Structure formats: C-alpha cells, structure tokens
Amino acid sequence: MQPHIEVPYQQCLSIKGQALTGLSENQNLILQNEELLKDAYRWMTLTRVYDQKAVALQRTGQMGTYPASLGQEAIGVAVGMAMAEQDTLVPYYRDHATFLLRGWPIRDLLLYWGGDERGSAGGPVQDFPISVPIATQSSHAVGVAAAMKIKGEANAVVTTIGDGGTSKGDFLEAINVAGAWQLPVVFVISNNQYAISVPRTIQCGAKTLAQKAVGAGIPFLQVDGNDFVACYDAMQEALERARSGKGAYLIEAVTYRLGDHTTADDATRYRSPEEVKEAWSKEPIKRLQTYLAEQGWWDESQEKAWQKSCDQRVEEGIAAYKTMPPEPAEAMFDYLYEEFPEVMSAQLDLLYRKVERMRAPDSVVDELELDGLERDDSANDESLDEE
Amino acid sequence: MDTNKSSAQVHEITMVEAVTLALAHEMRVDESVVLLGEDIGPNGGVFRATLGLREEFGFKRVMDTPLAETLIAGMAIGMAGHGLRPVAEIQFMGFIYACMEHLVSHASRIRNRTRGRVTCPIVLRAPFGGGIHAPEHHSESTEALFAHVPGLRVVIPSSPVRAYGLLLAAIRCNDPVLFLEPKRIYRIERQMVQDHGEALPLDTCFTLRQGDDITLVSWGASIMETLMAAEQLSEQGIECEVLDLATIKPMDFNTILKSVKHTGRCCIVHEACRSFGVGAEIAAGLAEHALLELKAPVKRVTGFDTIMPYFKNEQYYLPSEQDIVAECLELMTF
Ligand SMILES: Cc1ncc(C[n+]2csc(CCOP(=O)(O)OP(=O)(O)O)c2C)c(N)n1
C-alpha cells in the first residue's frame, strides 16, 4: 500500500470551457480579465501555427527533427506570461510557447531546429539555452537560483521538464537542494503522459509526480495543464512566493502530447486512436476559445483576422530563416573559448585547407573565401530522424 | 597544519596552502567568486584546501552542498550563467564522473550554444593521482578523458608557485576549467609564494630545466621524479630539457616541438595509464611534425592500462625516477 499523500489538484475551466465554482479571488480575477485571456489565446494559437509550420518544414526536408508542443500550449503560455522579463528561464526543448513569449524571433527558433547554431542567440540574455540531455537543466536552475539568492536579487527562476525527466537524478538532486536552501525556483513538470513511447505509469510508481516534492520539503500542486487559468494562477502564486524569499515550488501540469514525440517518431505504434481522440476533447485552445466566445470577447471575424496574422508572422519568420546566408565554417571555433587559443591555430589551418578542398575538388583555389560556402542541403540528418 | 593567516606578502608554503592562498586572494578582490562542494565549510575540505575561508567569507560564499556531485557541477554552471564565478571542489577525482555529463554536454558548450550570450566561468577543482596510500577509486589520473572535450581547459599545477598562479588564472578565465591537483605533492615541498595576485599564463608549458640531449615532458606529481631523473642523468653527462605541460588542454605543442627539434629526443612521463592518453597525443604530434629531426623514437614512461593497484602495490604502477633514467639511457644509445 502506498502511504496516502494529499496532492491538491487545481482546475478553473471545465473541459467544455465553463468557469467552475468555488474559485479563489485571484482565479476569478483572471477569469474576468478580458485582455489577459485574449492575449493568452493569441499566444497559444500563434504557437500552434508555428508548430504546424515547423513540422511541415521538417517533412519537406527544410528543417531538422522537431518536437512539437501540440496540446501543451496552455502551460507554456502560462509560464511565459507569468514570468517577469528579469526572471530567468531554464527550459527544456518543448517550450516553444514560452520561447515566443520570452522574445525569441521565430527565425531563431527555426534556425536552432534547422541545425544552425545562430538560432541559440535568441531570448533574454540571462535565459539558458535548450537542454537536450534530459533533466540536466534542473541542476542549472538551482545554480541560477542560488546565485540570485547570494546576490540578493528579488527575481525567480523557472525551469521546465517532462514527466520522463522527473525520473532522473538531476531533477531529484535539484528539488532536494532547492528545498534545503529555500531557493527562488519554480519547477514546472509538463506531464504530457509519455516519454517518447513510455507511458507515465511505467515511468514512476507514485500516484502523482508532484508528490516527489514531499521528500524535498517544498510545496507542490497538480494543475490541469490544459486549463490556462489554472496554470496561470499556479504560476503567479509560485513566482510570488519565490520572489518574496519563501522558497521553491513544484507544479505538475497534467496535459497530453497530442502529436508525435518528434517528427522522427510515430506515436500510433504505442497509443490508441481512442485515447488520442479523448485527449483532443480536453485540449487547451478550444477550451479557452469557448470561454472567450461565451463572454462575448471573441468571435468568428476576430478568429479569422488573428489566424491570418499568425500565418503571416510565421511565414515572415520562415522567410527570414530561409534567406539567412550560411554560417561560415570557421564559426565552429568562434565561441569555443572566450579568446581563440593561439595553440589551436594549426587546427584552424587544417579547416581552411579542408574548406579549400570542398570548394574546389578538382583545382586548387588560391583565395579562400569562407563566407560564400555552399550549404550542403543533405545536412538534414537522416540518421537522427531514425532515433 | 599551517594555515598561513599572516598578512605577510611572501609565504613559505606547500601546494595545498598555495591553493588556499589563491582562493582567498581572489575571493577578496572579486565578490563574484564563490566556493561550493562537500565538507568545504567548517571542515575546510578533506585536504583542507578551503581552510579558514568559511570564517572569512561566510555562508553565502563558501557553501557546503548536499552530497551530490552531479548537482555540484550543474549548480556551478547555473551560478556561472548568472554572473558568479564558482569554484567547486570535487572531493576526489574518482567521484568526478557523475559531473561528466555537465562538463561535456553543458559547461564546455554553453558559450557556443548561446553564441556567447551565456558563459561558464567555472573552476572544478579535484585532487587526483596516486601515491598517498588512498583507498580504491582515489588514485587514478584520468585527465585524458577531460582533455578530449572541446571547450574545456584542463590545468594541472606541479608546484606551490604554479598552483597559486595557475589557479588565479583558472578563476579569472571565462571558460570552464578543470583544475586537477596532484595530491601526492600537496605537501611535499615548500616554496616562497608571493601573494601578489599575479596569474600565470594558461595554455603554456613551463620550461623547468634546459638541456641539449633529451626533452622530458611531464605534468603533475610526476614532475618530481622527472626532475630527479634529469639531475641523475646530468651527473652522467646527459642534459635534459624538462617541460611541465601545466595546461593539458589546449596544449602548448609548439614549445614541445621547438624543444624536441633542438634535442632530437623525447621522453614523455605521465602517471595516467598508457594508451589513448595525453602522451600518445604528444607522440603523434611529434611524428607528424618532427620526424626528420628525431634521433630516436619517442618514448613514454607511464602507468599501465590496468586499474590502479591498491596501495600496497602502487609503487609498481607509478613511473619512477629509475624508469625514466632507464628509458633515457636507451634513447641515448638508439
Ligand atoms: C539523458 C537523456 N536520455 C535520453 C534522451 C533521449 N530522449 C529525448 S526526449 C526523451 C523523452 C523525454 O520525455 P519527457 O521527459 O516526458 O518529455 P517530453 O518529450 O515527453 O516532453 C528521451 C528519452 C535524452 N535526450 N537525454
């Protein structure tokens, strides 16, 4: 028998988009805030359009493997909207909504997933890059939070992770120290039910992932991750606690990954159409849209105009992505060390010679012009797609 | 143990005390320097490298972490990304492997991955190497594992003066540095170390002795046997040039090459096991660039490709003065 642990669960909008009763003052305030909710709706839809087009780019060989956030837009937007600009985001790879809210140009997101390192330049200067190794970001986040505490800043750190990631030591070590040192960090689990093909129930024997916080001594909460209002309220509370020196918080957002894990995955191999259909009935965008429409805050013509503007914004980003001149080969040395170590110059010479050979397979080129290097279009890594 | 709290500028101190001196110096002049690790607070670290620093700098700058090496490395990266200069102690290098993912996948690449937006000025200090009769997992020299990683610096001091100067350089460096401290020579000699705050250069070999016959390249604790061997050979009329590699990666190969082109002979001495190591890297470089100047094959005096024996037998594993002399005599008669 598992010992009983009371895990609070928070939901504000029914799956049909109706406000529930018995809500807190802040939740009611959010529900009455037309502009805030419309903003949230706009970011969620923009994210979805961006996701669809990113997947299409990958399918047509114009981008690398891509992990869509289809179905998880509510939590991503709630995180992005609740964070202050000067807070620090230590993200995982499926945080597209939050990245957009933190100011990453669409072009840069596409560059990143298109295999061009210049994409990583986006975002506020203090935010961390996407962490591809699972869960390592949790340790970085507590480091940032400790730095904030040492420096006496009143900001907070938000770090995100998938359900699978909570199985790793990094996550457990991080929540442990966050509790012990009372660090200003909010852990957000996007529990989308799967880690690639492994369902949440096989991942961990506990009834909820939120309760992992018990052992760390930090407060915890489960929210309906498809309910923007519930997510936003939870984030506001957690961030306020963190900023006012009350320590860490763990939120498990219960959601569902409606798409494949990545464009290299085929989710039909491990889950039934019925399950996915059922999940679609709970998805976040429709839910908020219904609520907005019933308040008389959103209608067909606004929807049309907004969809058009999303299309346009994403198309502009795609155009900017496609017209980026290729990065010169020697850029691989640029950011390795702060200053290029003189002792490595022999290796740079080797690269120049290699580039020379690639440019002119049959003849010797006298002048090296790295900037104009042809891009190899087969760079779309097939082997990664097989992963 | 002498904590050297006197304010005199010149201290006659051991290498581990030089580490403390450098840490204290940098913490005084740069508020962003913080220390974290296991038992580094009141205990001063198991080798006492941080002794007295908690008293002087307080809890916020000298942090005892939970017992979690992965966390220490990851947390240091987070701190560095947010404007601090963390110097983390990993109690023994034998426990550093839990940090590997953070070093390889994050610390060494975060500048590159953010195009310079987020940087990682961390120092991970760890005592390493054999010869102090330590238990299993405490005696290996695995610097080559880390030297293989692009974007990491691997620095190994071999005297109090170099420990002081190189550690200052490591802390001031805006790239991640693995600072490996050969614990066998932590307390073996005292040197006059001036607490002047001057760093020694990274990415540079130090020439400890000049000679025309053989170039001896070594680093860390083995420098001691290497210098003794050079002395013994000198008595037999063979003059060795002794280079302390100091920064293992990126390696100052040009200094080695120049010396070997002058002497025509090279013997590399390292405690780490023989194959796929830093010695092999130097030998390969010499094969590429000095083949016609070599008067004899490049030699290596190293540990074996075995697990470091438990301490009753460790003297069979560690390169000795006599091993070096024997190889050098062969080089001269090739
Ligand atoms: C340390 C590590 N192991 C394995 C992988 C390969 N991998 C990439 S995503 C993934 C599943 C992660 O699932 P989860 O944490 O639930 O997040 P989700 O992708 O579902 O959002 C795995 C196993 C990895 N990136 N890092």
Side-chain angles (χ1 to χ4, degrees), chain B:
Chain B
M1 135 106 221
D2 178 1
T3 56
N4 278 285
K5 279 197 171 165
S6 92
S7 55
Q9 275 258 299
V10 183
H11 308 256
E12 192 181 353
I13 53 175
T14 62
M15 191 166 87
V16 70
E17 290 162 357
V19 167
T20 320
L21 197 64
L23 290 172
H25 182 278
E26 215 47 19
M27 290 182 83
R28 279 179 208 128
V29 300
D30 183 351
E31 271 214 328
S32 65
V33 177
V34 296
L35 311 186
L36 67 157
E38 295 159 10
D39 306 298
I40 67 165
N43 199 38
V46 288
F47 288 98
R48 310 286 175 262
T50 55
L51 199 69
L53 300 180
R54 163 64 71 76
E55 285 85 330
E56 181 173 351
F57 299 103
F59 283 89
K60 281 192 172 176
R61 297 186 66 195
V62 182
M63 292 167 267
D64 275 327
T65 62
L67 205 169
E69 281 77 14
T70 306
L71 176 79
I72 294 172
M75 214 170 175
I77 292 170
M79 289 175 172
H82 204 73
L84 298 182
R85 288 186 176 272
V87 182
E89 176 173 301
I90 299 298
Q91 210 153 63
F92 288 93
M93 195 194 192
F95 309 123
I96 208 171
Y97 309 109
C99 307
M100 199 70 172
E101 180 173 26
H102 282 280
L103 291 173
V104 177
S105 301
H106 297 293
S108 62
R109 351 176 9 133
I110 211 157
R111 172 192 297 286
N112 193 59
R113 282 167 59 210
T114 59
R115 311 322 277 162
R117 189 165 54 72
V118 181
T119 61
C120 194
I122 66 169
V123 178
L124 227 59
R125 297 178 35 246
F128 84 116
I132 64 155
H133 287 201
E136 196 185 358
H137 298 296
H138 288 66
S139 301
E140 285 76 5
S141 300
T142 50
E143 64 272 23
L145 290 178
F146 300 89
H148 193 70
V149 180
L152 278 189
R153 271 195 171 73
V154 181
V155 177
I156 300 180
S158 64
S159 72
V161 168
R162 283 194 292 287
Y164 177 82
L166 290 172
L167 184 52
L168 287 181
I171 299 172
R172 291 171 194 171
C173 178
N174 285 333
D175 304 314
V177 178
L178 194 62
F179 194 81
L180 299 176
E181 298 164 10
K183 58 184 179 289
R184 180 157 63 96
I185 57 170
Y186 256 160
R187 299 197 166 87
I188 217 153
E189 65 166 334
R190 288 179 178 274
Q191 273 183 346
M192 303 302 282
V193 178
Q194 235 196 317
D195 192 13
H196 48 27
E198 278 172 33
L200 284 169
L202 299 178
D203 311 345
T204 306
C205 285
F206 297 92
T207 304
L208 304 185
R209 183 184 175 113
Q210 284 177 335
D212 301 324
D213 299 319
I214 304 176
T215 301
L216 295 176
V217 186
S218 189
W219 53 93
S222 293
I223 285 286
M224 198 169 59
E225 286 78 27
T226 304
L227 283 170
M228 292 191 307
E231 192 59 39
Q232 208 189 108
L233 288 160
S234 174
E235 283 162 18
Q236 302 178 40
I238 300 165
E239 294 304 333
C240 295
E241 190 139 303
V242 176
L243 305 182
D244 176 2
L245 196 56
T247 302
I248 308 301
K249 170 83 173 282
M251 184 192 284
D252 175 13
F253 182 70
N254 281 340
T255 300
I256 302 172
L257 184 63
K258 210 168 126 204
S259 170
V260 174
K261 281 187 170 175
H262 172 70
T263 60
R265 299 179 185 89
C266 182
C267 178
I268 303 149
V269 184
H270 64 66
E271 224 181 278
C273 56
R274 189 170 186 82
S275 306
F276 309 101
V278 181
E281 177 58 38
I282 297 171
L286 293 173
E288 267 181 283
H289 299 286
L291 188 61
L292 299 180
E293 277 104 336
L294 284 173
K295 297 175 192 154
V298 176
K299 289 270 188 191
R300 281 179 291 166
V301 180
T302 69
F304 303 102
D305 290 350
T306 62
I307 290 161
M308 176 74 158
Y310 296 175
F311 59 80
K312 285 223 164 127
N313 271 350
E314 68 184 345
Q315 76 276 17
Y316 296 119
Y317 178 95
L318 295 170
S320 71
E321 179 187 345
Q322 287 326 312
D323 298 336
I324 304 166
V325 169
E327 292 292 338
C328 286
L329 292 177
E330 273 192 33
L331 274 181
M332 294 307 291
T333 54
F334 175 78

Side-chain angles (χ1 to χ4, degrees), chain A residues 92-94 132-134 162-165 168 192 194-196 261, chain B residues 101:
Chain A
Y92 92 125
Y93 47 77
R94 212 181 287 282
V132 173
I134 303 293
D163 40 299
K168 273 200 60 176
N192 64 12
Y194 287 91
I196 309 188
H261 168 67
Chain B
E101 180 173 26

Side-chain angles (χ1 to χ4, degrees), chain A residues 222-236:
Chain A
Q222 244 193 356
V223 294
D224 182 333
N226 292 350
D227 173 355
F228 169 79
V229 180
C231 292
Y232 186 72
D233 173 63
M235 281 306 296
Q236 276 191 318

